[in-house]
Structure formats: C-alpha cells, structure tokens
Amino acid sequence: MKIKAGIIGATGYAGAELVRILLMHPQAEIAAISSVSFEGKALSEVYPSYKNLCDMECKTQDEVVAKSDVIFAALPHGLSQELAAQCDKAGKAFIDLGADFRLKSEEEYQEWYGGTFLDKELHEKSVYGLPELFRSNIQGKKIIANPGCYTTGAPLALAPAIVGKLVSTEGIIIDSKSGVTGAGRKPSQGSHYPELNEGFHAYKAANHRHTPEIEQTLSTLSGEKVTITFVPHLLPVNRGILSTCYARIREGVTFGQIRTAYETFYENEYFVRLLPDGAYADIHNIKYSNFCDISLHHDSRTNTLIAISAIDNMVKGAAGQAIQNMNIIFGLSETTGLELVPPAF
Amino acid sequence: MKIKAGIIGATGYAGAELVRILLMHPQAEIAAISSVSFEGKALSEVYPSYKNLCDMECKTQDEVVAKSDVIFAALPHGLSQELAAQCDKAGKAFIDLGADFRLKSEEEYQEWYGGTFLDKELHEKSVYGLPELFRSNIQGKKIIANPGCYTTGAPLALAPAIVGKLVSTEGIIIDSKSGVTGAGRKPSQGSHYPELNEGFHAYKAANHRHTPEIEQTLSTLSGEKVTITFVPHLLPVNRGILSTCYARIREGVTFGQIRTAYETFYENEYFVRLLPDGAYADIHNIKYSNFCDISLHHDSRTNTLIAISAIDNMVKGAAGQAIQNMNIIFGLSETTGLELVPPAF
Amino acid sequence: MKIKAGIIGATGYAGAELVRILLMHPQAEIAAISSVSFEGKALSEVYPSYKNLCDMECKTQDEVVAKSDVIFAALPHGLSQELAAQCDKAGKAFIDLGADFRLKSEEEYQEWYGGTFLDKELHEKSVYGLPELFRSNIQGKKIIANPGCYTTGAPLALAPAIVGKLVSTEGIIIDSKSGVTGAGRKPSQGSHYPELNEGFHAYKAANHRHTPEIEQTLSTLSGEKVTITFVPHLLPVNRGILSTCYARIREGVTFGQIRTAYETFYENEYFVRLLPDGAYADIHNIKYSNFCDISLHHDSRTNTLIAISAIDNMVKGAAGQAIQNMNIIFGLSETTGLELVPPAF
Amino acid sequence: MKIKAGIIGATGYAGAELVRILLMHPQAEIAAISSVSFEGKALSEVYPSYKNLCDMECKTQDEVVAKSDVIFAALPHGLSQELAAQCDKAGKAFIDLGADFRLKSEEEYQEWYGGTFLDKELHEKSVYGLPELFRSNIQGKKIIANPGCYTTGAPLALAPAIVGKLVSTEGIIIDSKSGVTGAGRKPSQGSHYPELNEGFHAYKAANHRHTPEIEQTLSTLSGEKVTITFVPHLLPVNRGILSTCYARIREGVTFGQIRTAYETFYENEYFVRLLPDGAYADIHNIKYSNFCDISLHHDSRTNTLIAISAIDNMVKGAAGQAIQNMNIIFGLSETTGLELVPPAF
C-alpha cells in the first residue's frame, strides 16, 4: 500500500515541486492538496504543466489532514505550529517546509522571525531534517523541520571540515547565489522579467533569516558557537543555489587531509557528489535532482579552504529533501523516488 | 529481463538525452554507448550531470551493436545506412535519430541531403516512427526512422485538420521557433552565449531540410501532394519547439467542427494534450517531457486556423519519441519510462 | 535654445526610455516629468540606473504641460484625448505614445478599444507618425499618434512590396515575436521571471489591438482594404520585436524585382537597414537603437515573400520613433539624438 | 580637430566595444582598425550591429599605427610590448587593454603570465590607468596599462577603506561574478549557450591572473603588502561584474566612519556612484555605461565590511576606461563621450 501524502500550500513553488516528485514516487501517492488562494481550483489550472497528471482540486487543510498519512506544509512562517499540533493529535507525520520548527532556540526565533513557540513540547518532539548530517535523529520522529534552501547547501559544503576541526570556526564567510524560484511565486517588481533578466545583485546582506539556521547547524557540528557572515545574491536563473564558502585552514592541517576527510564523510551518501580536483560545482549539473555537488579548492597563498556546493533550491533545498525525510520516517530506502537524473542541458 | 539498449553517438545532445531517459526506464538498461569524439572517456566526464549515474565508458560502434538488443543511432546524416544493415544482419532493432531513413523518396533525399540510398531493400524495411500518426505501421518493424524535431510538432498540430479535410492543403505556413539544443553540442559563433542571448532570428527560411519530411507526412495524411512554407527560428532557450501553423479553413467548415475533430483524433493519445479554448501551447509546460501540447485558435476575420504545438525538441522531438518507438516494437506499453512530469518551472 | 520636453507617464517603460534617449539628445532637454503612481518621487528612485542622471521629481500633468514645448504621453489608452486638447489649447506639441489617435476610424476604435472619439476635430488635426511611410504628412502637425510597437516593424517589412503591388494583399500573415518590455512595467504572473524564462508562447492570436492599426497602414499604402492574420508571441528577452511576414508574390513578379523595389524605397532612410541576401534580421543587432533591420527571403517552391523585420520595441517601436517625430515637427534633422549605436553584444 | 584613434584587435569584444563608444565620441574618430583573424573584412560583416555605422575594413597593425594619434590594443597578453615600442618610437599614445604592462613586478609577471619584460625602460614609462585611484600619475604619460575587468571593480569597492586604514588588510575576500563577454569572442564548450544558460559556477578559484593585479593596487593604496583571496564566477548574462568584497573592520572604527570616508573619497568622481544605505549595487543598473556603482553593508555580528561594486566589464572594465584614459592624456574632460546612460531595462 502506498503512503498517502497530502500537501498544504500546493500552489506555491515548493508545493508544486512536491507534486512533481511525488507523481513519480513508486511508493507514495498524492491523497489531497490544499491552497488558500486557489481553493476549489484544479492544480493543473494553476500549473498547466500538470495537465492530465495532477488535475486534483485544491481542498481545505482539514481535508488534507484527514486523507493523508503524511502532511507536507509549504506555508509562510508562523502558520505551521497549529497544523503540527493537529497532525500530532491525529497521529499523522508532519513535514514542515516552513521555518517554524527549524530553530531550536525560541529566542533566536523571536529575534529573526518575530514569533513565539506556541507549544514547547511540540518543538521538543520535532527534529531538524538534514539527513546527511542528522540522520539518526530523524528516524522515529513525526514532526520534521525541513531545512531552508541556503541552509542545506552551505552546511553540507562545510560539514566535514567543521566536524574534523580542520578549519577555524571564526571568520567563516558564505557567499551564496540563488535562482529566482527561491523568492516564491508571487510576482513582484524585483522578479519582473525585464528588471531581473541580465541583472545580478546581493540582498539582505548579513541580515537573512537563514543565518541563525546555518549557525545552529555548524555549532551543533563543531560543539562550539559559530558565527558566520552570510550574503545571498539573486541569480537570473530559475533554479539552483551555489554557495561559495571560505574558511581559514587550521595550522598544521593540509589540503590533502581536508579532501580525505570529505571523501570519508560522504562516502556512503548517494545525494552528495564530491567532485574531483579541478572540477567546479555548477548548478547546471544538479538541476531538477536531489544531488548536492561539492567541489573543494585551496587558496595556498592565504591557506583558505574554498568549499563550493551546488543544489537545486527546489529539490535538495526543499521538496526533494522533504521526501527524503518522508522516506526515512516511513522506513523506505532514502533514495526511493528521488533517483532523479539531472538533465545534461 | 530488461531490454539491452545501445547508443551510438551518446555524447551528442540527442544521445545524452537518451541516456537520461533510459536511466529512469523500468524495463530497459543501457548496455553500451559509443562516441567517435570521446572514445575511451566516461560519459560523466563529458556531462558531469551524469556523475555516479552513467560513468560508462564510450566504446566502439561494433561493441555497442554486439551488446545490445536495440541500437539507437544519433549520428550526422549519411552514417546510418551501413549501421542499419549491420544491425539488420545481426537481427537487432535499429532506431535512427538521424535523417537517412526518413524520406521515402530517394530523389528528395538526394535533393535535400545530397546522398543516395545505399540499399533500397533496407529502406523498404524501414518505417517512419511518428506513433500518433503511423502507429500500426511501426509494430513489427525493426528499422525505425525517428522523425526530426520540427517534423514532429508541426504535423501533430495539423494532422486532424488535414485528415478530416477541414483545411486547404494549399498555402499552409509553418512558423517554428526552436531552442538552441536543436543546433547540437558543437560550439559555434551562432550559439556562443553573448551573441545568441537576448537575440532572435530566423534561419534557413524556406530552405530547411525538415521541409520535405513535413510535406511527406502531410501528403500521406491528406492523400495529395502538399507543399508548405516553413521558416524556423532560433529561440534563446535551451529546449522546446513552438510551431505556429496557419491553414485556410475550407468553406462550410466551422471552427467548432475542427475542435471536435482534434478531440476525437487525439482522444486516446497520452502524449498529446489538446488545450482548452483560450489556452496557448507554451514550451514552458512540456520541457523535459514527452508531451506535445496543442492549442487551436480561429482567425474569424480571414477564416484561418491557427494551430500551435509545443514539444521538447530533445524528448518528443528526439530521444523520447525514439524510446516510444522502442516500447512499441518491444511490445511494451507505449508510455513505459516516458511518464516524465514536465516541471512547473 | 534647447527644446523643452515633458514626459507624462515617465515611470512606465516607454517613459523611462524617452528619458534615456532625451538625456543624450543634443538639442532637447527634459523640462518636467510626471507619474501618477510615483508623484513626488525622484525618477532615479524608481530606476536606479538613472541615479545622478535624472534625479528629477515626478510632478503633476499640469506642471509638465506648463513647462514644456513638446509633451510626450505614455499612458494607457483612453487618457490621451483630454491631454491632447489641453496641449492643443496651450499651443504645445503633443506626441502620444498611446493608442487614442492611431486609428482613423472611430468605428474601429470602438470595436477594438471600446471608447469613442471625444473631439473629432482634434482627431482630424492629428497625424499618424510613422516617418518612413508618412513623413510629409507629419511636418507641420502638432498632434502625433506615435505607432505601436508591432505596428512599426511589420508595415516597414511589407511596405515596398505593397506599394509596388508586388504581392497579393490577400492572405498576408504576420507572425511576430516580442520581448517582455512590451508588456509593461507592472508585475504579473505571466512576466514573473520563473514562469516566463525558458518559455515561449503566442497570445491574443488573431485578436490583438494592433491588428486594425497594421491594416490601416497597409490599406493606406495599397489603396485597397487589407485584412491580415496577426499572431504575436512573447519572447524571453527584454527588448526587440521580430516580425516574420508572409505574402504571396503576384504572378509575373520576380524576387529580384522585389529586392530592387525595397532598395529604392529605403535608399535614403537612415533608420532602415536592408540586409544583403543570405543575412537574417536579428533583434540582437538593433537593441537600444532606432534601427529597423529588414531581410528578404524567397520561398520559390510556393512563390512566397518572407520579409522579416527587427526593431527595438522600446526605441523604433516607441520612444525613439517619438523623438524622431519630435525632430520632424521641430525642424531638426531626423536623426538628431538618435544615432544610437546598437551594441555588438 | 578630432583625435585619430586606431584599434588593434578590433574584432574581439573589447575592440568592438571601443568602436561602439568611439562612434559616439564627439572629439575622436576611428582612423583605422586591425584584426588578425578578419584582415580585409569589414567590421560590420563580423558584427552586423555596426552595419552602416562602421563598415571600415580591418587593416594591418602597421596601417593602424601610421594613421592614428592614439592606438588602443586589445590583444592576448605577450603581444603588446613590441607594439608599445613601435608606438613610442613613432610618438603615438598607446593604451593597452591587455596585461603586458599592468604588473610592475617582472617577477610576478613571470609567475602569472610566464613571460619577461622585453624592454624595462618602456615599462618604466608606462602607467597603470585606473583614473579614480591614480589620476595624477596618468597625466602626461603615453603608455597606459588599462586595468583588467575584475581589477577595476574590486579595488574601487575597497579603496576608501584601505586608504583610510579602516579595515584590516589581512583576510580580505573578493567573491566576483562576471558576465560571459569577459571570456571573449571565441566559441568554446563552456560558453556554448545550452551549457552555460541556467548554470552558474566558479572558475580559477584562488588562481586567476587578476589576483596579483588587485593586490598590487591594494598594496599601493595601503602602503603594505596585501594578499587577498579571489574567486571569480561566471554569470549567465552578457555583461557586468559584481564583486562582493569582505574585509574585517578595524577595532574602534564605526560603520558610519566608513561610509563618510567613501563619500569623501568619491565626492567628485563622476563615474563612481555610491548608493544610499539599504540599496544594493546591481549590474542591471550600470550596463552599457562607464559607471561603477558601490553599495556598503555592515555585518555587525562579525564586524565585517561588505563592499559591493558593479561595473560593466566591457565599459568601465575595458573600453570605457580606456577612453577615459585617452581623454586624460589628451587633455579632454574625463567624461567626454562617456556620458553613456545605462538603460533602465
């Protein structure tokens, strides 16, 4: 019997991407979908790509919860906590693509999102779903905080060096570049084609909400409080995040040791592809797939590690990882339905 | 047991796309690949997208033929005839993505391609593989001429009107716009990023080799010789062909009759999606899939049918259709491995 | 003394392009600008490109009229008639980039735009400002209907053949492809970057408001009522319109005669560049300039003329042509301030 | 009388851009052009954009030197030294867009470019032409080393902070993103449209030849040896370089002091636009112009200065700056012919 999956917020980009992947998943099926803006409308009216493939009508949240074994929520922050409680009570798995359960510290949540933890117990039951780093925590859980897009690629690029204490945890700089889908489906001046096309700029420099989430992950990995400088930029492409991460190599550590540490760390990770020396991670090569490509470079003149990761912000950075988490909590092989081949062009 | 598929010319774009789709095909596997330019190299070195997915080495043509049940050839025209003979002798199925077997008339082949038919018997054994129009001919055949990209989308847009004698076969105009992958993998000034980006132009106006192939299909469907005006253009996108087809509606025929004819004609065709009134076929909605979206529009002021089709030139216009043909000749369901969901963005 | 130019609707795309060109015009200066949406704001706040170049504040329409010798209006249709009257009364030149004065027939205006002619006398005083075709009418006029974007490129591509009676006026098909700026500055789902990028589709097939305007021009040139089939498409580029025009060549007329007719017709036109045989008009080559490139192609199999024009929809299709009209009515050389070099990339 | 300008290497991108700007320059005219690859061909055959504007034929280098007052050379490195000697002997001004005269240290030139200084005296006569930083050195010189593209934007972003000793000169990180024209006109797999479009990657990380040139400038400004980490990336756009520069703020220095220092430093610089707080430098806003937009951001959590600059790599990063240098050495106002308005879209 297939897992019955429900999607709340199905007409946003992350929701629509969940639909795309679930439609090809051999052991799950979409039971119901909801959308506040398009209630009563067929999904294929909103996204004509899905004509004949998902003509399902958008229902209410309650209907989705009732019909599903697992509920994916792709909602603006602040709206997931009550929903999580509802799912918890009903004994359903809940995978939150929003931010409500990502930060462990309520203080940080307040500072960056301006809200409070409505139910602390619920937060304690939840787990941060970045499988390559925290897999064992995820098994057996039913409330999953799916990481944000920037917060997947950058930590994966740095994790082996941090865990192995090969780089300084001070002065880490993460310069990220994201495709436009990261900004969501709502039209705005900044994503209006003629004003974004042939343009490129940073935004929310040192001020983006994914900052504390990246720091939380790196701090957990290193065992000490890590503070980073994080600057995101907007790329004129649909999909993909490239994160160029800079960290000072600790004295006595060689670049060869770093490479070996990465090889060992990711040896058995299907979704992480460590590129050979001389190759560069490129968002071109992971589009539409759940892969995270990582390339390592050494600035020998300043003894700096340059670790670059490329992910599809909508797949490994959202819907794909959410389904990876679903696979884990339902006891499936982690790659089920996620062996998506990134097109060569 | 899975079908063993071989790809000759695997490092070209059509070849690489065959790899992508075959990797996800549940009843076929890639047995061997070849490439003249990259012999001895792993495919994933040429296309880093395929790292860990297809690290297979490029072999010789003979090795591919020896190891495969079906041989796909994605070669420049003129190189397939001998290969077809070799496969025929070895009792292997041969699906040609090149032009050598597409034209039934040797005279036309000479005029447009400058070559001759090396072995007429072989040509008689071959069949033109556009399943939605000529499915029954394909079953039982082993040499398949897979249609060109323009020659799939435009005929599908016009077929029901032609078959039903609803439009004049004179004065048909096909204005097509293709993504850049149609020009192949070899770098050239015309496909150099800064010179193509933000540009748009026609090429080979009334002079493109797909002209006689489209005419052959329309003539077969109508039972009379059809001559068309065909102008292709180059779009600054990677994939997709949109064909805007203009045909004069015959006196006494209503637009409603035309729509009904299309609905009936394509009723059971999974890969053709006839859009509702008011919608427009868009290459955005069929990318990476084997779908052909068709929209119909009526110029009531001049009583002209405007039929627009959108296909992915690399899928329905090349590799996807080739695999559709493979499914037919191996007795599989036609959609096997081809239920590719076009991404919403 | 420089001409004092005022722009009403300066924050729309056509208005902003007027600013760009006027800033480099040696004999005109921007006296005042207005914008309903951004009144009181500096233009450079709306378009940071113009920082330090045009930090002028958006004023009211009345202020613009008061301060200017010539008023350019880039407004939605229906709003220009009263403004024209106001300028007329004040003895100021008025160049309307909107549609209100373009159609000579009130009946057609009603049919396509749903409005009426508020003051017929004013309409009689106005002239259709397509200089290459109607130059002598423009001199001495003070109310100029500046043509729409599609309605400049397509008529220029066909004019010499129509005037010379070299092609049939029946069955003309115009297949146009426009950059996104043609849709204006207001964000919408259809121009949201991720949904337009890598896409391509037609819109308003046989139903676009520029249809009667093109017909009006062609009818004037031919002396008989011309009805066309016109289908516009949306290109994923910022600027440029390519119009592929199909017309049946009259019996007895050779393609050589047609080419000669074009050469003669455009001999002294600085802004029309007739390309040599074998070359193709490309929007890449006219971007940011007031040029209209035209290439001619012959389908000898169906004896069809394929005339292709490329213009920048924002320059020759809007602001540049408006300034060309200004130059004419103020007695300047037509090319003053318009010798804009299209960048090579 | 106008300055007679000659361009050697006119068919490369920098050469073609020199043509574009010089065609609009009121006090200079193109006397002759040369190109090894296209000798005897008209420039407008190579770049159809320039039809009727620059149909000049490509001649030999000697002819260019003979006919010109100033010679611009846009050549691969290693080819300029002899040419400089030839111009010097002939008493002509020489502006080198290549790398041969940029590095003052022959040792560094050998290390990064693999060549030697053929004539040391000539190198001593030459000057590094970054006017905003070294204007007074340029006046009176006749051999100008025009800076590279990355080496203009990044130093301008950092200069006031370095000169004012407001940031540490250790640990400076420059993460740059360049449009594709930076890679030149020669087609290659990496700039083939389908493989670059929708992609993004770094290249030559910590290994790019502009590294020592940036260090030379920063070292000169600071009075001490500065070593940087520099990682360039390739953006899927035609033009523009955005450099995101990270520097640790010295203890006791406030961000307000830094802003004031920038304001003072660039107060009278026409081509540098310091953006207000909250705005972000964007390549969209400086395309086709000689502007360098700079925005300043403060990471108060790590006390890091984030200085971002945007230039058009072909204008301020090549041809525009070269003409700015020409204006200086010929005693013209620096902005002559360079008041190019960046289009709003």
Side-chain angles (χ1 to χ4, degrees), chain C residues 53-92:
Chain C
L53 302 172
C54 186
D55 299 320
M56 199 174 265
E57 206 180 277
C58 293
K59 305 285 188 181
T60 65
Q61 291 198 9
D62 286 350
E63 289 176 275
V64 172
V65 174
K67 288 190 174 164
S68 311
D69 303 322
V70 56
I71 290 90
F72 295 95
L75 296 171
H77 71 90
L79 302 178
S80 288
Q81 300 190 61
E82 280 188 50
L83 192 57
Q86 183 184 352
C87 293
D88 189 53
K89 198 177 290 176
K92 314 266 172 133

Side-chain angles (χ1 to χ4, degrees), chain A residues 193-330:
Chain A
Y193 191 90
E195 304 194 16
L196 194 139
N197 184 35
E198 297 293 291
F200 182 71
H201 62 86
Y203 67 102
K204 293 189 188 159
N207 195 23
H208 191 283
R209 281 168 171 165
H210 285 178
T211 309
E213 192 182 331
I214 298 172
E215 290 177 348
Q216 172 180 283
T217 296
L218 298 183
S219 299
T220 304
L221 294 176
S222 73
E224 48 184 312
K225 174 77 189 133
V226 178
T227 306
I228 59 164
T229 293
F230 172 55
V231 179
H233 302 71
L234 195 57
L235 272 175
V237 305
N238 279 10
R239 288 163 174 259
I241 288 180
L242 194 99
S243 292
T244 311
C245 307
Y246 301 87
R248 272 174 278 155
I249 298 175
R250 278 190 208 268
E251 234 171 285
V253 174
T254 68
F255 184 61
Q257 288 174 308
I258 292 176
R259 170 158 278 283
T260 304
Y262 275 74
E263 283 165 2
T264 308
F265 197 91
Y266 288 128
E267 205 163 24
N268 300 311
E269 294 297 341
Y270 178 86
F271 294 121
V272 177
R273 302 192 296 191
L274 187 63
L275 304 187
D277 270 331
Y280 284 87
D282 188 333
I283 58 169
H284 193 276
N285 299 333
I286 47 73
K287 275 185 305 179
Y288 299 104
S289 84
N290 202 47
F291 287 116
C292 174
D293 279 5
I294 296 176
S295 64
L296 300 177
H297 314 276
H298 185 209
D299 186 353
S300 56
R301 302 163 76 249
T302 61
N303 206 25
T304 302
L305 169 67
I306 302 156
I308 307 180
S309 69
I311 61 166
D312 185 316
N313 57 315
M314 283 292 134
V315 189
K316 186 64 181 162
Q321 186 146 269
I323 290 166
Q324 190 179 350
N325 280 312
M326 177 192 82
N327 288 343
I328 293 174
I329 61 180
F330 281 82

